[in-house]
Amino acid sequence: MIIDAHSHMGPAFDSKPAFLPGVSPNQIIEILDRSGIDLTCLFAPAWEGPDFIDPEYQAANRAIYEAAKRYPERILGYARVDPNRRGRAIDEMRRGHDEYGFRGLKLHPLWEHFLPNNFRLMAPIAELCAEYRWPIIFHTGYYPTCEPALFVPLAERYPEVSIIVAHFGYAHVADAIIAANLCPNIHLETSANTTAGAIAQVLAEVDPRQILYGSDLPFTEPADVLAKIGRQPNLSDQAKRLILGENMARLLGIEQAVAA
């Protein structure tokens, strides 16, 4: 089974379209089908104005819920919040868990401009994710809020929370490797413009149980990222199974459902 750890959908794409269509659940399912992806972790993109104003992600999270409700065997919904909203962000997370049945959380330190090692903001969020057993997927990459090293203090303080470093940290892949080797609860994810060379570097230096397939749908074609993984010359069948789905199933606690 192939599980995509990183995909977006929602009404924000009406305001600012992505590379592929991603407004409706049917569009997402069509992309999954042609890419050979069985299941995806789906969350909202960054809200965009002026046609779509949703800074607390209430409308966007509702859209994710409706998509997961329509296709429960193909879509796992994640909440998205802005930690700067503090109590309202926590309220939205609770709605996502209690009413929507979400399975994880997406945070974007660059867009929302916060530091992941700012525990005044992050402690309540991480503690709730620990309670819910939610993984947190972070946009990572660039100065001043997204470098992979910034996630190490959070991972060390909350070892029970799975932290997903999206995009391999972009240009900071070497730092992402160090972070993963320091913290077994940090997982590196392949989405978007990650190169085949970066994937080879991570495969050589990181436990394959800490590597996840993610596409960044609809900002990129999922099959392209799958091809970069599948063509790695030194990738064992066991490591490939882990990266393409088994690791994500373990983080989500759905191993038995996937095996069935």
Side-chain angles (χ1 to χ4, degrees):
M1 175 171 279
I2 298 177
I3 302 176
D4 190 336
H6 189 146
S7 63
H8 306 266
M9 188 213 78
F13 289 130
D14 269 333
S15 182
K16 187 177 180 181
F19 174 66
L20 300 173
V23 175
S24 74
N26 287 347
Q27 292 170 330
I28 297 300
I29 295 299
E30 181 180 347
I31 297 169
L32 297 182
D33 285 346
R34 73 165 184 251
S35 304
I37 297 169
D38 299 287
L39 186 65
T40 195
C41 302
L42 190 67
F43 37 83
W47 69 272
E48 299 278 358
D51 300 325
F52 183 71
I53 307 298
D54 186 33
E56 296 184 3
Y57 293 100
Q58 293 179 344
N61 288 332
R62 179 73 187 185
I64 297 297
Y65 162 67
E66 295 291 348
K69 181 180 178 181
R70 185 169 182 179
Y71 295 104
E73 296 182 354
R74 305 296 302 280
I75 292 172
L76 293 175
Y78 277 34
R80 179 162 180 167
V81 300
D82 175 359
N84 293 299
R85 303 283 168 166
R86 296 181 182 266
R88 293 194 295 274
I90 295 297
D91 289 344
E92 188 63 18
M93 289 175 64
R94 292 193 185 282
R95 181 181 296 111
H97 179 269
D98 297 345
E99 297 180 26
Y100 297 164
F102 285 161
R103 304 300 296 270
L105 179 68
K106 165 64 184 291
L107 297 178
H108 200 309
L110 187 63
W111 178 262
E112 262 79 49
H113 198 73
F114 69 93
L115 290 167
N117 60 353
N118 178 352
F119 292 124
R120 291 180 62 190
L121 290 180
M122 286 304 304
I125 286 174
E127 288 164 7
L128 201 56
C129 285
E131 177 185 337
Y132 292 163
R133 305 183 73 85
W134 278 4
I136 309 175
I137 182 168
F138 285 94
H139 175 87
T140 69
Y142 304 116
Y143 176 87
T145 61
C146 289
E147 302 98 316
L150 294 173
F151 299 93
V152 170
L154 185 69
E156 291 178 335
R157 183 163 176 172
Y158 298 98
E160 70 276 31
V161 177
S162 298
I163 293 172
I164 301 172
V165 171
H167 316 301
F168 281 1
Y170 278 126
H172 302 288
V173 62
D175 291 347
I177 289 169
I178 293 171
N181 287 332
L182 286 171
C183 303
N185 57 324
I186 287 182
H187 304 266
L188 308 187
E189 180 262 305
T190 64
S191 61
N193 298 320
T194 301
T195 65
I199 293 172
Q201 183 180 358
V202 170
L203 284 171
E205 300 184 50
V206 175
D207 187 327
R209 291 174 295 182
Q210 291 174 261
I211 306 172
L212 305 171
Y213 162 66
S215 69
D216 209 9
L217 181 171
F219 295 105
T220 194
E221 186 66 59
D224 292 346
V225 186
L226 285 169
K228 294 175 190 176
I229 298 170
R231 293 172 183 167
Q232 294 294 322
N234 298 317
L235 182 65
S236 70
D237 289 342
Q238 180 184 11
K240 185 176 180 179
R241 289 194 302 270
L242 289 170
I243 293 165
L244 294 185
E246 291 180 10
N247 289 336
M248 197 67 239
R250 185 183 72 252
L251 298 191
L252 293 166
I254 60 171
E255 302 101 318
Q256 292 182 346
V258 169

